[in-house]
Amino acid sequence: MRVVELFCGAGGMSLGLREAGCDVVAAYDAWPVAVENYNRNLGVDHSKVADLGDLLGIVPDLLKLAPDMIAGGPPCQDYSSAGGREEAENARLTLAFALIVASVRPRWFLMENVTGAAKSATWAQARAVLKRAGYGLTESKIDASRYGVPQSRRRFFVIGRQGERDGFLASAIAAAASAQPMTIRDLFGATTPVAVYFPSTSEARRSIWSPDEPAPTIRERSIRPLPESYKPHPDDAALVENGFVYSRPVRAGRGVRSVDEPFPTVTRTTWERPTSRYLSSPHPADPVAASETAVLTVPQISRIQGFPMWWEWRASAKRDVLQMIANAVPAPVACAIGSAILDREAGKTVPAIEGRFFHWLVRRGRSRQSAWNTKSLAGRARHLLGGRTFEVPALELAALESLDEFRAMKKNAQSDLRQALRLLSEYQSEGRQRRRKIQRTPPIEIHPLAEAA
Ligand SMILES: C[S@@+](CC[C@H](N)C(=O)[O-])C[C@H]1O[C@@H](n2cnc3c(N)ncnc32)[C@H](O)[C@@H]1O
């Protein structure tokens, strides 16, 4: 899968997509410092400085590259709670992202933003552009601590694929989540002697895992005793031994976290020590005094954000480093989503049949047995279709009928499969109509970007 990343920052998302197996061939950002960190750490020269609000400047280049997927996290300050929620020029870059995707028309796109974007007027416009361009959308709010980083960071991810039905990847994204959130101890405690060593096949992935977290995919060389020479980093050992860290609270939140919880969302002020105001009036739920907590180093903040130990930050100001870290999509999150996309592209996963389909069939007079059979036939049809769903039911049936495996079936087996798919489409379009009544999509109304400048 050839990927172009827009608003690539220092490369968190690209790193994760590459780890999933994507071939990231180009990346763009307006900030030269981020572009420089991207190229040096990822060992490439394909990241370029560009203003992505200038569609005429970028779309022709992307048309030439003809990527299979466009990924990107347009700036989010205008949506985030820290930014006062006034939608202005930055939010409009979300619209620029949608217009670029609609012009270049890759098979897939992946967009990341803060959760506040999901209900914004700008996303409603961008969404309408993407729907009109023929994309089925999966809109998911994801907690990063369930996808391989010890950080309760909730973000809005939209995955689009040409011709699909909305929600087509939701079950795969949900299935990739871990049952338990990852904790600070899971990451840094894994560097204490009680750890499991799974030698990694890639430089970008760690080899030391906590015994309390789900193991990585087991490979032939996996599970060896920790090498004798292995020494935990003194900063990590000190952090775990202390047991508590401070994070400057957003609004009136708690400042002190135990290492047995995830860290809160990393921001560019995460490194700051408690103010005298906080020390004299701490949060009542703080388990220990903020003055007693460990201080996170910048490399530790970088790792909480999913960057590997070898990642080297370079900038003349510390605040630039923290800004690049805070901006990033944690690589393990991007890797999990990228893997879900690649698996679906390869037909290795199939969207779950929506839970209420069975009840809907029973309400329409089917016996439980017959409803069960229909549901499992619909699942079989989706397997035959390689996990594809189709926005247009007639195209779904046509795709099924074009398959050799389907053609080789007996006539009655074919008609059972067709009937199951038809019923599933009917059920889904009823659901869509219900949802449309609830949330009327505003009409597309696009003002020139220059107007906002
Ligand atoms: C949320 S960050 C993206 C971080 C990136 N996805 C990662 O994982 O590291 C948004 C990026 O948009 C960039 N940006 C802001 N305005 C831009 C513009 N007009 N054109 C291109 N990039 C822009 C910022 O420099 C910032 O790096």
Side-chain angles (χ1 to χ4, degrees):
M1 167 112 29
R2 294 176 77 253
V3 179
V4 167
E5 190 184 346
L6 309 179
F7 310 101
C8 63
M13 175 123 92
S14 276
L15 174 68
L17 290 175
R18 196 163 89 167
E19 218 169 289
C22 297
D23 180 14
V24 183
V25 294
Y28 301 89
D29 197 284
W31 189 15
V33 178
V35 166
E36 204 239 310
N37 275 271
Y38 179 113
N39 283 334
R40 214 192 35 263
N41 281 294
L42 291 174
V44 294
D45 61 2
H46 67 224
S47 179
K48 303 266 177 333
V49 176
D51 172 9
L52 296 169
D54 172 15
L55 300 196
L56 283 177
I58 195 72
V59 168
D61 285 357
L62 297 190
L63 284 169
K64 269 189 230 138
L65 284 168
D68 302 310
M69 174 156 85
I70 292 182
C76 54
Q77 293 93 321
D78 293 335
Y79 304 120
S80 60
S81 39
R85 284 193 200 282
E86 203 174 297
E87 288 180 48
E89 194 180 1
N90 262 336
R92 297 176 68 77
L93 289 167
T94 300
L95 188 54
F97 178 87
L99 290 168
I100 293 171
V101 170
S103 312
V104 180
R105 292 196 168 232
R107 284 203 307 285
W108 291 83
F109 76 83
L110 165 62
M111 190 195 87
E112 179 258 4
N113 218 302
V114 290
T115 52
K119 290 232 174 329
S120 68
T122 308
W123 170 240
Q125 286 185 350
R127 192 182 190 286
V129 168
L130 293 161
K131 286 305 298 172
R132 194 170 284 186
Y135 288 92
L137 306 179
T138 292
E139 297 168 79
S140 296
K141 287 183 183 162
I142 281 175
D143 177 352
S145 71
R146 305 278 175 166
Y147 292 84
V149 282
Q151 191 189 151
S152 331
R153 179 186 189 90
R154 272 171 55 73
R155 286 293 181 269
F156 178 51
F157 284 86
V158 184
I159 300 132
R161 189 181 186 189
Q162 280 283 355
E164 291 280 339
R165 248 186 218 145
D166 288 346
F168 67 99
L169 203 65
S171 57
I173 299 290
S178 62
Q180 298 298 324
M182 188 174 180
T183 67
I184 300 166
R185 187 193 295 276
D186 290 336
L187 178 62
F188 298 113
T191 57
T192 63
V194 193
V196 189
Y197 180 55
F198 296 99
S200 161
T201 45
S202 140
E203 269 220 324
R205 288 185 73 81
R206 62 198 162 111
S207 295
I208 310 296
W209 294 69
S210 154
D212 305 327
E213 65 183 314
T217 310
I218 304 289
R219 300 180 205 286
E220 218 183 303
R221 304 189 303 128
S222 300
I223 321 183
R224 303 240 183 112
L226 208 55
E228 291 269 320
S229 59
Y230 188 78
K231 292 266 181 302
H233 192 287
D235 290 344
D236 296 353
L239 168 60
V240 172
E241 198 171 317
N242 181 302
F244 298 96
V245 283
Y246 174 79
S247 163
R248 190 174 115 154
V250 178
R251 282 170 256 131
R254 190 155 55 92
V256 178
R257 305 278 153 160
S258 154
V259 295
D260 291 314
E261 344 171 34
F263 196 77
T265 302
V266 165
T267 67
R268 64 180 195 282
T269 57
T270 287
W271 61 278
E272 286 178 9
R273 295 306 298 146
T275 55
S276 52
R277 187 150 158 238
Y278 190 88
L279 289 172
S280 59
S281 142
H283 193 279
D286 279 354
V288 297
S291 55
E292 304 295 314
T293 57
V295 181
L296 283 186
T297 62
V298 171
Q300 284 173 334
I301 297 171
S302 169
R303 280 158 66 206
I304 285 179
Q305 187 71 323
F307 288 99
M309 267 170 149
W310 52 259
W311 195 275
E312 198 194 319
W313 293 103
R314 264 198 227 162
S316 49
K318 180 176 177 179
R319 68 166 185 280
D320 284 349
V321 171
L322 284 145
Q323 184 70 63
M324 285 185 277
I325 296 176
N327 278 352
V329 174
V333 177
C335 179
I337 297 176
S339 302
I341 290 172
L342 289 175
D343 283 351
R344 181 59 57 82
E345 169 92 346
K348 290 188 195 157
T349 63
V350 169
I353 302 285
E354 292 71 4
R356 315 256 6 129
F357 180 47
F358 172 84
H359 301 278
W360 180 83
L361 289 165
V362 171
R363 270 205 313 279
R364 287 171 54 119
R366 298 259 171 156
S367 70
R368 292 178 71 81
Q369 184 60 50
S370 151
W372 178 251
N373 289 346
T374 304
K375 186 176 169 187
S376 79
L377 281 169
R380 169 110 200 273
R382 282 196 170 169
H383 269 284
L384 287 175
L385 288 165
R388 287 228 59 170
T389 64
F390 292 76
E391 173 72 10
V392 181
L395 290 181
E396 191 155 69
L397 284 177
L400 185 71
E401 281 162 9
S402 70
L403 298 171
D404 290 344
E405 208 175 326
F406 180 83
R407 287 192 182 152
M409 288 175 174
K410 296 214 170 91
K411 288 276 173 260
N412 56 348
Q414 289 181 340
S415 79
D416 286 350
L417 278 183
R418 269 198 216 97
Q419 172 70 349
L421 263 194
R422 263 194 218 108
L423 284 165
L424 183 59
S425 297
E426 207 180 306
Y427 160 72
Q428 285 169 324
S429 67
E430 270 186 24
R432 264 206 305 272
Q433 276 160 14
R434 261 199 314 277
R435 280 196 297 279
R436 233 176 257 142
K437 265 189 209 152
I438 299 169
Q439 36 150 276
R440 294 215 177 276
T441 314
I444 309 183
E445 202 184 303
I446 298 169
H447 311 287
L449 277 167
E451 204 178 274

